[in-house]
Amino acid sequence: MREFQALPAQPAPVDTVGPIGWMKTNLFSTPINAVVSISIFAFLVYVLPDTIDWLFFSANWVGSTQDVCSAEGAGDGACWVFVSAWMQQFIYGSYPDPELWRVNAALVALGLVIAAPYLLPKHFRNTVGVPLFLLFPFIGAAFLDGRIFGLEYVSTDFWGGFSLNIFLAAASIIIAFPLSFLWALGRRSDMPFVRSVCVILIEFFRGVPVLALFFMGSVMLPLFFPEGVTIDKLLRVWIVLILFMSGYMAEVFRGGFQAIPQGQYEAADSLGLSYWQKTLLIIFPQVIKVSMPNILATFVMLFKNTTFLLIIGIFEILNTTQTALTNSNWLEGHAAEGYIFVGLVFWCCCFGMSMISSNIEKKLDTSHRS
Amino acid sequence: MSVEQQGQPLSAEDDVIIIKELNKWYGSFHVLKDINLNVKRGEKIVICGPSGSGKSTMIRCINRLEEFQRGSLIVNGVEMIEDVKNIEAIRREVGMVFQHFNLFPHLTILENLTLGPIWVQKKPKEEAEATAMKYLERVKIPDQANKFPGQLSGGQQQRVAIARSLCMSPQIMLFDEPTSALDPEMIKEVLDVMVELADEGMTMLCVTHEMGFAKKVADRVIFMDGGEIVEQNTPHEFFDNPETDRLQLFLSQILEH
């Protein structure tokens, strides 16, 4: 009998593996690709050194006034002193100094509420985690306001900066989450009245531009209130954000619902589960799983949309930046620094959220875990 | 008819399912035509027929996954009417196994089994889990309890689905083509479980084309075509002396290979 001898493995051709192979397949696979790669490389070589120099090496980092940047011998790069000098306003707005700990505490609490699913043992998640999550916006708002807790009263006129962007976005999505799920459920309902109400709500808040909604909330709505009744501007904005977000999320959930096979409903029915048991125990977790990437995309959109609030005079981070730019002590044109800073802050947060969402997706993926 | 009468059969003969002149339409399409069927407690019925003959639709009417427009249906003494309480009462007594298993993919096998007992029958978790493990042992996969459905083979998933229904201690089990989505070598393990269940005296209605299973366990085999019951008989008579030419043709087609 002939004995089988396996052929020895030979190394792959040099130009298909390693850095050379990578460059060949990714940068120079066709003549057009090669031309594009070389021109991009040339452009970067032309632009990057100056940019990096402006951003870092010739930048002014230390100091507290504009004079540091314009003084003789100062670097001709970016004036980061502008950002550091205004940092407190960028983050906290005009929230009074002695009460800043409240904003910090609220930020930490928000972080804890978000991390709760990871921190809490499984059987506390639904009984403790979820109610805390849903109550957070109200407790947080009352805490920043201070009156109920016997703390010093800080009017919403003083709230501002990036913390306000975060709080508004978080408080909106937390309420919009269950609300939009109800709207999406209503849209699938057999009851014509419920269905039409939900369709109208969803289509209205999805169809009207968010800026128009903000104007409606801030300018138009008060006209309908009876005399003497005033509702805080920030509260109105919050409600607008919730409704706007709900419209979008309801459609995201609708896509999720459509991905659930009919058999899941039938299996739940055949066990004798009631409508709400079926919806909450069987359908909801699966819809969330399917919709997670889109929910996050919607949330990132809403988070960035909070900067639109500058147009109706809410002092969120972008409005604060613009105010700082027109301050008489800082009139030498630091717009680039300011906007780069705002962009960077938003980018970091949105990137962080992508990481969290992909983590959640993995956590929810039970399909082929071994 | 009210829920309180549940468990008190209306018929002296102990008929656990009484279907009278049941008619169903999908839009204007007449799917079920004058179905009359009485099922005794402990009876095993196999239903076969060409696709589109209404056999799945009929058994899905029994636990109200499908509604019907005319006729009456009494399950375990409870008449099926347009009432959520009533429908839920019937569903608690009727277990169902589907062609595509329909396990809940986001829950572990054990959670799939305990969901109904905990939420519908309000049993304590420990008791529900003990019952679940008992049934998992009966379908011979207790070692899979903490896995997710996606990690199991088709045959295992279908056995879990059977166990899930049994955990609700149903009076009646409905099987809707339980083996037709399975690979050939997995069909036997599922049929074995079903045979065992039949031997224990469960009332079973089973839509299937497993004729070996029909011969082995069925008390009665029903042939449906075009939305009506064409013929029903004991397995022996059914296969050896079909009365109608339609059944003869059907049998010749499915037994040819």
Side-chain angles (χ1 to χ4, degrees), chain B residues 78-120:
Chain B
V78 184
E79 184 164 8
M80 181 74 77
I81 49 166
E82 281 285 340
D83 178 73
V84 178
K85 285 262 177 305
N86 213 310
I87 293 168
E88 280 172 7
I90 289 177
R91 283 176 177 163
R92 279 197 289 272
E93 303 299 322
V94 181
M96 184 155 199
V97 176
F98 300 87
Q99 182 177 2
H100 296 288
F101 333 133
N102 296 349
L103 296 177
F104 305 128
H106 61 296
L107 300 176
T108 64
I109 299 306
L110 193 62
E111 287 165 343
N112 262 279
L113 266 63
T114 54
L115 187 88
I118 290 176
W119 290 92
V120 179

Side-chain angles (χ1 to χ4, degrees), chain A residues 182-228:
Chain A
L182 288 179
W183 286 8
L185 266 186
R187 197 174 185 155
R188 299 168 53 83
S189 165
D190 297 331
M191 293 174 270
F193 177 73
V194 173
R195 192 172 56 234
S196 13
V197 167
C198 289
V199 169
I200 290 169
L201 280 172
I202 292 170
E203 293 306 331
F204 177 78
F205 286 104
R206 243 161 49 96
V208 178
V210 65
L211 276 181
L213 289 175
F214 285 151
F215 276 121
M216 276 186 223
S218 71
V219 183
M220 236 177 70
L221 219 54
L223 300 178
F224 297 113
F225 294 145
E227 196 115 357

Side-chain angles (χ1 to χ4, degrees), chain A residues 60-341:
Chain A
N60 298 290
W61 298 88
V62 201
S64 57
T65 61
Q66 186 171 232
D67 302 338
V68 178
C69 299
S70 50
E72 202 71 20
D76 54 358
C79 184
W80 297 121
V81 175
F82 170 71
V83 173
S84 57
W86 285 92
M87 188 59 94
Q88 186 184 328
Q89 276 74 14
F90 287 165
I91 293 180
Y92 302 105
S94 326
Y95 211 82
D97 270 357
E99 303 296 325
L100 283 186
W101 64 272
R102 273 152 64 180
V103 181
N104 290 332
L107 283 171
V108 170
L110 176 64
L112 286 177
V113 166
I114 292 170
Y118 300 89
L119 300 177
L120 287 173
K122 206 178 169 201
H123 53 282
F124 283 131
R125 248 174 246 167
N126 292 338
T127 49
V128 179
V130 173
L132 258 183
F133 184 71
L134 292 176
L135 285 176
F136 174 79
F138 304 105
I139 299 175
F143 184 65
L144 290 178
D145 179 89
R147 276 175 293 188
I148 297 176
F149 291 93
L151 297 163
E152 194 183 331
Y153 170 52
V154 180
S155 149
T156 53
D157 298 340
F158 298 108
W159 302 14
F162 191 58
S163 55
L164 185 63
N165 292 71
I166 294 177
F167 288 137
L168 270 178
S172 309
I173 196 166
I174 286 171
I175 308 297
F177 206 79
L179 186 65
S180 59
F181 190 75
L182 288 179
W183 286 8
L185 266 186
R187 197 174 185 155
R188 299 168 53 83
S189 165
D190 297 331
M191 293 174 270
F193 177 73
V194 173
R195 192 172 56 234
S196 13
V197 167
C198 289
V199 169
I200 290 169
L201 280 172
I202 292 170
E203 293 306 331
F204 177 78
F205 286 104
R206 243 161 49 96
V208 178
V210 65
L211 276 181
L213 289 175
F214 285 151
F215 276 121
M216 276 186 223
S218 71
V219 183
M220 236 177 70
L221 219 54
L223 300 178
F224 297 113
F225 294 145
E227 196 115 357
V229 173
T230 51
I231 293 185
D232 189 86
K233 186 170 174 187
L234 205 60
L235 181 61
R236 279 178 274 144
V237 164
W238 183 24
I239 293 170
V240 167
L241 277 172
I242 289 172
L243 295 173
F244 165 73
M245 187 71 188
S246 297
Y248 272 88
M249 294 253 295
E251 287 302 280
V252 168
F253 280 133
R254 186 159 76 114
F257 274 115
Q258 273 161 358
I260 309 300
Q262 190 58 30
Q264 293 291 312
Y265 294 89
E266 291 176 356
D269 280 341
S270 73
L271 283 178
L273 293 175
S274 71
Y275 176 81
W276 286 108
Q277 287 173 337
K278 175 174 72 178
T279 304
L280 293 177
L281 296 170
I282 307 300
I283 307 304
F284 180 66
Q286 298 189 56
V287 167
I288 292 288
K289 184 177 140 187
V290 178
S291 318
M292 206 59 211
N294 291 332
I295 290 173
L296 187 94
T298 317
F299 180 55
V300 167
M301 179 193 74
L302 176 100
F303 182 48
K304 292 189 293 182
N305 278 351
T306 54
T307 55
F308 289 171
L309 290 171
L310 87 95
I311 234 162
I312 52 166
I314 303 279
F315 278 88
E316 47 67 58
I317 187 169
L318 202 57
N319 202 354
T320 316
T321 311
Q322 294 204 326
T323 315
L325 287 172
T326 50
N327 185 289
S328 58
N329 293 327
W330 295 89
L331 282 174
E332 280 179 20
H334 302 292
E337 289 90 333
Y339 293 132
I340 286 174
F341 173 72

Side-chain angles (χ1 to χ4, degrees), chain B residues 14 26 85 97 113 156 165 176 184 191 197 205 215 252:
Chain B
D14 208 12
Y26 280 128
K85 285 262 177 305
V97 176
L113 266 63
Q156 289 174 326
S165 288
D176 189 0
L191 289 180
L197 194 58
L205 274 83
K215 284 175 188 165
S252 74

Side-chain angles (χ1 to χ4, degrees), chain B residues 40-229:
Chain B
K40 289 192 176 58
R41 197 173 291 280
E43 201 175 11
K44 289 114 193 98
I45 294 182
V46 165
I47 302 156
C48 58
S51 70
S53 60
K55 50 197 192 310
S56 287
T57 311
M58 184 183 81
I59 68 162
R60 285 156 61 89
C61 280
I62 294 172
N63 67 347
R64 198 44 152 65
L65 289 184
E66 302 280 354
E67 42 189 275
F68 52 90
Q69 283 78 22
R70 204 193 298 157
S72 76
L73 171 58
I74 298 170
V75 181
N76 208 31
V78 184
E79 184 164 8
M80 181 74 77
I81 49 166
E82 281 285 340
D83 178 73
V84 178
K85 285 262 177 305
N86 213 310
I87 293 168
E88 280 172 7
I90 289 177
R91 283 176 177 163
R92 279 197 289 272
E93 303 299 322
V94 181
M96 184 155 199
V97 176
F98 300 87
Q99 182 177 2
H100 296 288
F101 333 133
N102 296 349
L103 296 177
F104 305 128
H106 61 296
L107 300 176
T108 64
I109 299 306
L110 193 62
E111 287 165 343
N112 262 279
L113 266 63
T114 54
L115 187 88
I118 290 176
W119 290 92
V120 179
Q121 300 174 332
K122 314 285 177 207
K123 282 189 186 163
K125 193 168 174 230
E126 291 71 27
E127 189 190 330
E129 280 180 355
T131 318
M133 286 313 292
K134 188 183 91 188
Y135 282 112
L136 276 183
E137 262 155 42
R138 267 190 51 180
V139 299
K140 300 179 188 67
I141 34 176
D143 47 329
Q144 314 281 4
N146 293 314
K147 289 193 182 169
F148 287 93
Q151 296 167 272
L152 269 56
S153 72
Q156 289 174 326
Q157 290 194 42
Q158 193 60 298
R159 284 185 280 157
V160 170
I162 294 173
R164 178 174 69 179
S165 288
L166 293 177
C167 281
M168 298 291 290
S169 26
Q171 304 286 314
I172 301 157
M173 284 289 284
L174 308 174
F175 292 85
D176 189 0
E177 308 206 26
T179 55
S180 43
L182 293 176
D183 290 337
E185 70 263 35
M186 293 174 181
I187 292 177
K188 187 179 176 297
E189 61 188 52
V190 171
L191 289 180
D192 284 348
V193 169
M194 288 167 63
V195 170
E196 215 175 280
L197 194 58
D199 290 343
E200 286 161 21
M202 175 67 76
T203 312
M204 290 164 71
L205 274 83
C206 186
V207 173
T208 182
H209 292 139
E210 298 297 332
M211 290 307 151
F213 173 77
K215 284 175 188 165
K216 200 166 171 183
V217 304
D219 296 313
R220 201 167 7 145
V221 186
I222 290 178
F223 175 65
M224 286 183 74
D225 189 27
E228 46 189 317
I229 294 179

